[in-house]
């Protein structure tokens, strides 16, 4: 009797042990399921069925591979990647979805942080040029390939979407742009989504506030060329300072080769010289009067006679115009002439009157009130 009880207990212990999962390096476990004991005298035995089942557990080396893959897909911080994989039982696809969900929350929390860095992205065709400013918090993110891809994609979308025929440069409607659908073809940004969702997703990947700040478009309404220049350009179509300028040719049959050459130089001039007005006539009378009073006050402090003071004021006023008026500025490529003289010589070369239709200059972060951090920015003039 004692022997049979001991044998029965040994069998119970054996079945209990084999019913416990045993993990192996192959990623599966051996598990046994014990059937109920048979109490009939004729069947004094235990029936055990041994099954081999695959487990969701993976080896440490597989953990590292999954973390690496998910990080490559999302560019999310490694801490967030690992946490998502653990929560999703190391299911790569589910972890990616979970990370995106968490990313939206993280991005919304960062939306109030100051973002004064970033890039300008420019896109153009024969009739129009569009430049947008995409901001982030650090220059490190501005150099990120995903951030740059997003900026370029937004500029191309803005160029195709903007259809206004108003003259001159005008702001791109950001609200309408953010609601548009955009289709990405990128290893880490793929499929169709709205612009706003794309910006939020990239913000989550970068771990910074990413914001579409502003955009401007300049159409070409007459015969001529649109010339652009980007300064500090990491890739074509991207930079930190942009100059855009239109040159209009009176004769519609005039060749444009020379006009294009000079237009490119003038776009670079706009970036370097920072003009505020096209001609002296565009400077408001209030601005001229204010500048005149300042210059007069400075001249009077010298103690010179009134006649000399008047000459000093006029001379300094001419200097003021040379600094802020594009047509009066010395040409940066050849400072022996000013822009007005340059256009006169170009008109003779082309055989038709050439004039500047419009221009504008744009720089990353200009007007940003860093002390008032989440307050956004002043629009460019």
């Amino acid at each position: 009797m004692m022997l049979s009880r001991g044998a029965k207990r040994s069998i119970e212990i054996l079945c209990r042990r084999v019913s416990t999962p045993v993990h192996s390096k192959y990623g599966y476990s051996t598990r046994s399921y014990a059937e109920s004991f048979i109490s009939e005298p004729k069947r004094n035995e235990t029936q055990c069925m041994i099954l081999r089942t695959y487990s969701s557990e993976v080896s440490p080396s597989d953990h590292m591979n999954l973390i690496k893959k998910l990080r490559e897909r999302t560019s999310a911080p490694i801490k967030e990647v690992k946490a998502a994989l653990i929560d999703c039982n190391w299911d790569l696809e589910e972890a990616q979805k979970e990370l995106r969900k968490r990313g939206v929350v993280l991005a919304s929390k960062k939306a109030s942080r100051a973002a004064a860095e970033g890039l300008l992205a420019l896109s153009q065709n024969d009739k129009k040029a569009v430049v947008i400013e995409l901001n982030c918090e650090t220059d490190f993110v501005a150099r990120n390939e995903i951030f740059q891809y997003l900026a370029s994609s937004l500029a191309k979308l803005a160029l195709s979407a903007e259809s206004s025929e108003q003259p001159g440069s005008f702001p791109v409607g950001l609200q309408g742009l953010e609601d548009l659908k955009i289709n990405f073809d990128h290893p880490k940004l793929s499929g169709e989504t709205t612009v706003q969702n794309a910006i939020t997703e990239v913000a989550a990947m970068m771990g910074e506030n990413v914001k579409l700040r502003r955009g401007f478009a300049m159409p070409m309404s007459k015969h001529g060329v649109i010339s652009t220049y980007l300064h500090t350009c990491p890739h074509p179509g991207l930079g930190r300072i942009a100059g855009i300028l239109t040159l209009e040719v009176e004769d519609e049959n005039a060749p444009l080769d020379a006009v294009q050459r000079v237009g490119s130089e003038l776009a670079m001039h706009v970036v370097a010289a920072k003009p505020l007005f096209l001609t002296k006539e565009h400077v408001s009378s209030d601005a001229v009067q204010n500048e005149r009073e300042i210059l007069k006050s400075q001249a009077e402090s010298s103690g010179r006679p009134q006649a000399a003071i008047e000459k000093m004021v006029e001379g300094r006023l001419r200097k003021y115009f040379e600094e802020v008026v594009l047509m009066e500025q010395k040409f940066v490529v050849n400072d022996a002439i000013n822009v007005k003289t340059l256009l006169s010589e170009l008109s003779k070369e082309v055989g038709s009157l050439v004039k500047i239709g419009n221009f504008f200059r744009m720089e990353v972060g200009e007007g940003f009130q860093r002390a008032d951090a989440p307050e956004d920015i002043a629009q460019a003039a």
Side-chain angles (χ1 to χ4, degrees):
M1 178 65 72
M2 293 295 293
L3 182 60
S4 64
R5 287 181 180 176
K8 183 176 181 180
R9 181 172 298 174
S10 298
I11 294 173
E12 289 178 0
I13 293 172
L14 177 62
C15 287
R16 191 179 301 116
R17 286 180 177 175
V18 296
S19 66
T20 304
V22 180
H23 304 295
S24 73
K25 65 179 180 179
Y26 299 106
Y28 58 79
S29 64
T30 302
R31 184 184 300 273
S32 69
Y33 296 90
E35 294 183 348
S36 59
F37 291 107
I38 308 300
S39 58
E40 292 81 2
K42 294 181 179 179
R43 296 188 60 189
N44 191 11
E45 61 182 3
T46 302
Q47 295 178 341
C48 296
M49 179 174 62
I50 308 297
L51 298 178
R52 179 165 287 180
T53 60
Y54 284 93
S55 167
S56 59
E57 296 291 338
V58 291
S59 67
S61 61
D62 290 333
H63 288 177
M64 294 305 299
N65 288 334
L66 289 171
I67 290 172
K68 182 180 178 181
K69 286 181 180 179
L70 187 55
R71 183 159 165 74
E72 287 175 351
R73 286 190 186 184
T74 64
S75 295
I78 191 167
K79 182 179 178 181
E80 297 294 334
V81 167
K82 185 176 180 180
L85 283 165
I86 291 173
D87 291 347
C88 296
N89 205 20
W90 298 96
D91 186 310
L92 188 63
E93 300 301 327
E94 289 300 318
Q96 184 173 349
K97 292 178 183 178
E98 179 63 23
L99 204 56
R100 292 184 67 181
K101 292 177 184 177
R102 294 181 185 182
V104 171
V105 176
L106 291 172
S108 65
K109 290 179 180 178
K110 296 178 176 67
S112 63
R113 295 187 343 201
E117 293 294 334
L119 285 172
L120 303 180
L122 188 146
S123 185
Q124 69 181 102
N125 53 33
D126 293 338
K127 295 297 181 182
K128 183 171 52 180
V130 171
V131 60
I132 63 102
E133 180 178 355
L134 188 66
N135 290 128
C136 56
E137 296 177 45
T138 64
D139 182 64
F140 177 78
V141 167
R143 296 194 301 269
N144 184 278
E145 187 266 339
I146 299 174
F147 182 89
Q148 294 178 355
Y149 175 82
L150 175 64
S152 297
S153 300
L154 294 182
K156 292 173 184 175
L157 180 65
L159 180 67
S160 62
E162 189 57 59
S163 59
S164 176
E165 297 299 327
Q166 65 188 89
S169 62
F170 56 89
V172 172
L174 296 187
Q175 183 61 52
L177 184 61
E178 288 176 344
D179 293 337
L180 290 177
K181 294 282 188 180
I182 188 167
N183 203 332
F184 292 115
D185 183 16
H186 186 275
K188 297 178 183 178
L189 289 174
S190 59
E192 187 179 71
T193 184
T194 65
V195 168
Q196 182 59 61
N197 288 342
I199 293 172
T200 301
E201 185 173 347
V202 170
M205 290 181 181
M206 301 296 104
E208 289 191 6
N209 183 17
V210 175
K211 188 170 186 178
L212 178 60
R213 176 187 176 186
R214 55 181 173 166
F216 283 87
M218 181 178 286
M220 184 76 218
S221 57
K222 298 181 180 180
H223 182 61
V225 298
I226 297 180
S227 299
T228 61
Y229 177 78
L230 283 167
H231 186 64
T232 315
C233 185
H235 293 288
L238 297 172
R240 288 187 57 85
I241 310 174
I244 303 181
L245 174 139
T246 61
L247 287 179
E248 300 174 352
V249 184
E250 192 174 75
D251 183 0
E252 295 187 357
N253 297 316
L256 297 178
D257 291 347
V259 179
Q260 288 175 339
R261 184 193 74 249
V262 173
S264 297
E265 294 174 342
L266 281 173
M268 181 176 63
H269 173 97
V270 167
V271 167
K274 304 180 182 180
L276 301 177
F277 309 97
L278 178 57
T279 66
K280 289 193 290 186
E281 289 71 30
H282 286 90
V283 184
S284 68
S285 58
D286 290 341
V288 174
Q289 184 60 32
N290 183 58
E291 189 67 21
R292 188 185 295 274
E293 290 177 0
I294 294 173
L295 294 175
K296 185 176 180 180
S297 177
Q298 292 173 347
E300 287 174 345
S301 65
S302 66
R304 296 187 179 185
Q306 188 63 32
I309 289 174
E310 291 297 329
K311 290 182 179 179
M312 288 174 64
V313 170
E314 293 304 316
R316 292 178 180 178
L317 196 58
R318 284 195 298 271
K319 184 67 175 177
Y320 167 73
F321 286 136
E322 289 177 3
E323 290 176 353
V324 301
V325 175
L326 177 57
M327 295 294 286
E328 305 299 323
Q329 288 179 333
K330 292 183 178 180
F331 186 36
V332 294
V333 177
N334 178 12
D335 60 7
I337 60 175
N338 61 16
V339 174
K340 184 189 297 183
T341 303
L342 173 70
L343 290 177
S344 177
E345 294 177 355
L346 178 62
S347 297
K348 293 177 182 177
E349 181 179 353
V350 173
S352 177
L353 178 65
V354 180
K355 64 179 183 178
I356 297 173
N358 208 339
F359 78 94
F360 75 87
R361 181 185 186 276
M362 191 167 165
E363 185 170 351
V364 170
E366 61 186 343
F368 194 95
Q369 302 299 320
R370 296 174 187 271
D372 299 331
E375 235 0 84
D376 219 10
I377 28 224
Q379 293 288 341

